[in-house]
Amino acid sequence: MKKLIIFLSVLLVMLSSVAVLLYFEVIGTKTGKYTEPTEMSSQAPTTEAPTTEPPTTEPPTTEPPTTEPPTTEPPTEPKPLVEESGRTVLYEGRFLHTYCIGDDPTLMVRPANLGILGTEEYIPLLETVEALGYPLWEDDTDGTIYITPSAKAFAIPEDVNVPVLMYHAVSDNMWGIQELFVSPKEMEKQLAYLVDNGYDPIWFQDLAHVEDYDKPVILTFDDGYDDNYTELFPLLQKYQVKATVFVIGNAMGKSHKMTEAQVKELSDSGLVSIQSHGYTHHDMDKMDEDTLEYELGESWRVLTRVTGKIPTVLCYPTGYHNSTTVKVAERWYQFGLKMQGGLYNTSRDNPYKVSRYYVSRYTDIYTFASYIKQAGK
C-alpha cells in the first residue's frame, strides 16, 4: 500500500510538471514574452540585415554638357537713347521740340520741323540754323533760344514803289490828340478799298519777294495803343489784311497801351507784325551812342521775349533821327522809318530812312486812294 502511495505521488508530480510546461508554451505563444527553448536557444542570437538594401552611393560622374557653349561675338552697340532736350527753343514764335542723343549735349531736331526734306531722322539744330542764315539769339537770362527765319537779311529789290501808310489809334474814343484817332468806320472803308481794288497789304519782310505782288502796300500803326487790339484787329481779321504795329518796349500794359498778352496774340495771328518803336519813345536824335545802344537793343530784346520773334524794323519816335541813330540802328534792325516823306521807293530811299504817308482822322477815302495809286510801279 505504501508503495502504491509513493508511485501515485511520483506520477502526480510528473503530471504537474507537464501541465506547467504546456501552460507556459501556450502563454508564451500568445504574448510573445516566452519562447520555448530549442536546440538554437543555447546559441547567441543572430542579427540579420534588413530586407531592403540602402541605395548604393556612388560618386557622380561629371560629363560635359550636351549643348555647346554659345560662340563669343563682339557686343553690338546699344541704340542711342533719344530724349527731349528740356531746352526752350522758339522757332518763329512757336515752341520747337529739340532732342539729345545719349550723353551728347548737342541739340538735335527733326528736319521736317525746320521745313527741310531729308533722310536723316535728326540733324544738329544750331549748325543747321547757322548754315541757313536764320537769325538766332540765346537769352542769357533764362537760356531761351529764339530762331526767326522771317528775320533773315535779304537784298531789297530795286525800284519798286511800296506806299507805306502811317496810322496811330483807331477809335472814336478820342482821349488824346484827335487827329491821331482814325474812326473805325473810316478804317473799315479803307481796308475794303484795298481788298476791292486788288492791293496787297504786306510786311517789310515780304519785300524779299515783292515781285509776287502787283500792288504792294504796307500799313503801319505807331505806339501800340490798346484800340489796335480792340478795334483794329477785328477789322484785319474780317478782311484778312496784314498790318505792322510798332510797340514801345517799356509801355506795354500801361494806360491806353496793349498788354504783353495782347501783343503776343496779335503776333501769333498771322496778320500782324510786331516791330520796335524804341524802348522809351524818347527822341533818338538827342541820344548819344551808348544811350542809343541800350534804347534800341533793349527794345529788340523785350519784343523778342514777348513775341518769340526777332524784330527787324525800327520806327523812330516822332521821326527824329540823325547819323548816329542810323549807325546804331544798322546793328539791330534792317529798316528804319521816318514819320513822313511820301512814297517809298526801294531804290530811292535809304532802308534806314523809309518814307511814309500820314493817315489822320481827317484823311478821306479819296486822299487815301491817291496815296496808294502808284503801288508796284
Side-chain angles (χ1 to χ4, degrees):
M1 185 67 174
K2 186 179 181 178
K3 290 181 180 181
L4 179 60
I5 293 171
I6 294 172
F7 174 77
L8 291 174
S9 297
V10 171
L11 179 61
L12 179 61
V13 170
M14 290 179 64
L15 290 174
S16 297
S17 296
V18 172
V20 170
L21 289 175
L22 289 174
Y23 171 80
F24 281 107
E25 182 179 1
V26 171
I27 295 303
T29 300
K30 290 181 179 181
T31 64
K33 295 181 180 180
Y34 176 81
T35 303
E36 176 68 19
T38 61
E39 294 181 357
M40 298 295 298
S41 64
S42 61
Q43 298 178 3
T46 61
T47 303
E48 295 182 358
T51 55
T52 58
E53 298 182 357
T56 58
T57 303
E58 297 181 0
T61 58
T62 303
E63 297 181 358
T66 56
T67 57
E68 298 182 358
T71 57
T72 303
E73 297 180 357
T76 57
E77 290 292 332
K79 185 177 180 179
L81 179 63
V82 179
E83 293 183 326
E84 289 266 6
S85 70
R87 294 291 300 273
T88 300
V89 180
L90 296 179
Y91 185 84
E92 204 66 64
R94 289 173 170 76
F95 181 78
L96 177 68
H97 289 277
T98 57
Y99 307 87
C100 288
I101 300 177
D103 296 328
D104 189 344
T106 302
L107 293 180
M108 307 295 285
V109 65
R110 296 184 186 276
N113 290 344
L114 298 183
I116 299 173
L117 299 178
T119 57
E120 296 184 40
E121 188 172 2
Y122 299 96
I123 56 177
L125 173 65
L126 303 185
E127 180 182 320
T128 303
V129 167
E130 182 180 3
L132 293 172
Y134 295 163
L136 179 148
W137 177 51
E138 183 173 355
D139 192 342
D140 58 8
T141 62
D142 61 5
T144 299
I145 296 175
Y146 301 90
I147 303 169
T148 312
S150 63
K152 180 179 179 179
F154 58 88
I156 302 173
E158 297 181 357
D159 200 25
V160 180
N161 290 330
V162 184
V164 181
L165 306 177
M166 180 185 69
Y167 298 83
H168 288 80
V170 180
S171 178
D172 287 327
N173 177 25
M174 294 174 287
W175 47 263
I177 302 173
Q178 290 191 7
E179 67 176 277
L180 297 180
F181 290 79
V182 173
S183 168
K185 181 178 178 180
E186 287 300 315
M187 187 76 248
E188 181 166 12
K189 187 183 297 185
Q190 292 169 13
L191 295 180
Y193 183 90
L194 291 172
V195 172
D196 293 342
N197 290 277
Y199 287 92
D200 302 298
I202 65 172
W203 298 326
F204 278 90
Q205 67 200 49
D206 295 323
L207 291 175
H209 50 94
V210 71
E211 67 277 0
D212 295 340
Y213 309 103
D214 293 329
K215 298 179 180 181
V217 177
I218 299 178
L219 309 181
T220 65
F221 295 80
D222 293 5
D223 300 328
Y225 293 118
D226 53 6
D227 55 57
N228 288 184
Y229 179 82
T230 59
E231 301 282 358
L232 173 64
F233 186 38
L235 294 175
L236 297 178
Q237 292 175 309
K238 178 178 179 179
Y239 291 93
Q240 288 298 292
V241 168
K242 287 182 176 181
T244 299
V245 175
F246 292 105
V247 173
I248 302 168
N250 72 347
M252 285 179 281
K254 294 184 178 180
S255 179
H256 300 299
K257 297 296 193 299
M258 288 188 292
T259 65
E260 291 186 359
Q262 291 171 333
V263 170
K264 172 65 172 172
E265 184 178 345
L266 292 185
S267 179
D268 289 343
S269 70
L271 293 173
V272 180
S273 174
I274 300 296
Q275 300 295 335
S276 172
H277 205 25
Y279 184 62
T280 64
H281 198 260
H282 292 161
D283 293 344
M284 293 183 177
D285 63 332
K286 297 178 181 178
M287 297 180 182
D288 60 28
E289 186 169 345
D290 289 342
T291 305
L292 280 167
E293 184 68 27
Y294 177 79
E295 179 77 14
L296 274 59
E298 191 63 9
S299 172
W300 186 95
R301 287 183 286 269
V302 167
L303 293 182
T304 300
R305 291 172 182 141
V306 171
T307 67
K309 303 172 187 176
I310 296 172
T312 60
V313 187
L314 170 67
C315 176
Y316 308 121
T318 65
Y320 295 129
H321 65 282
N322 57 25
S323 59
T324 304
T325 310
V326 172
K327 181 173 70 173
V328 177
E330 289 175 344
R331 300 171 189 166
W332 294 97
Y333 304 94
Q334 298 172 21
F335 294 91
L337 274 60
K338 303 183 297 181
M339 276 193 70
Q340 301 184 32
L343 180 64
Y344 168 57
N345 178 275
T346 58
S347 292
R348 290 194 303 269
D349 285 69
N350 182 320
Y352 292 93
K353 297 182 180 182
V354 173
S355 297
R356 295 190 287 175
Y357 287 111
Y358 174 34
V359 182
S360 76
R361 186 174 185 85
Y362 311 115
T363 302
D364 59 32
I365 195 64
Y366 302 105
T367 303
F368 174 83
S370 70
Y371 290 162
I372 63 176
K373 65 181 181 180
Q374 297 185 64
K377 298 180 180 179

